[in-house]
Amino acid sequence: MGQLAHITTPVDIVVSRLRALDEELPARDGVAVFNRVYLAVTRAVDRSVDAGRFADARAAVALDVRFAERYLAAVDAAANGRRPPACWRPLFQLRRHPGVRPLQFALSGINAHIGHDLALAVVDACRTLDCEPAELEDEFDRVGDLLVSLEGASARS
């Protein structure tokens, strides 16, 4: 019967979209800088889901995808001439400013995404899964652990 077809998860779709953005945006574009960071995190989440490191993979995928949708909606808004949510505007407005360093772009995106989008993504995931936020605590903490490990790895490199 041949090889088994690769099963595409919603996280794989997010990774594909982030990879496509990485290829189309100029390397020094502030959104591209944040996108590379976000792509690395999303790939790590995807590997963890595939390796069975989440107690509830369905919840982890829902949280990851709903979270990514918020960033991608901001990207789409800007690309279509609409205003992204207020938390994202500094990154999009200054994305080509020569005086802003790559780390500042990365931190601006991280601040917008974690400081604003994460709480809303938890609510979105709870609606998707028909659960309460406390039921996502383990997955939320595991993603936090992944972020810490990636931060440690990039500090060593």
Side-chain angles (χ1 to χ4, degrees), residues 40-147:
V41 171
T42 304
R43 282 179 171 155
V45 169
D46 192 31
R47 285 190 302 272
S48 291
V49 167
D50 291 347
R53 292 189 187 116
F54 286 97
D56 185 344
R58 182 173 170 258
V61 167
L63 181 58
D64 187 68
V65 170
R66 295 298 168 252
F67 194 32
E69 286 172 346
R70 294 207 163 260
Y71 162 61
L72 294 170
V75 169
D76 290 343
N80 292 311
R82 296 186 321 271
R83 290 176 64 163
C87 62
W88 286 103
R89 287 186 203 139
L91 177 62
F92 284 93
Q93 289 171 349
L94 299 173
R95 67 192 293 176
R96 293 176 185 87
H97 193 289
V100 180
R101 299 197 181 280
L103 178 61
Q104 291 171 298
F105 287 130
L107 291 174
S108 177
I110 290 167
N111 184 57
H113 203 41
I114 292 175
H116 179 266
D117 291 346
L118 183 55
L120 297 173
V122 168
V123 172
D124 293 343
C126 286
R127 288 181 179 145
T128 298
L129 299 167
D130 193 28
C131 70
E132 294 297 319
E135 295 174 61
L136 297 180
E137 186 174 357
D138 289 343
E139 290 69 32
F140 185 93
D141 289 344
R142 179 70 187 127
V143 170
D145 293 343
L146 276 172
L147 289 170

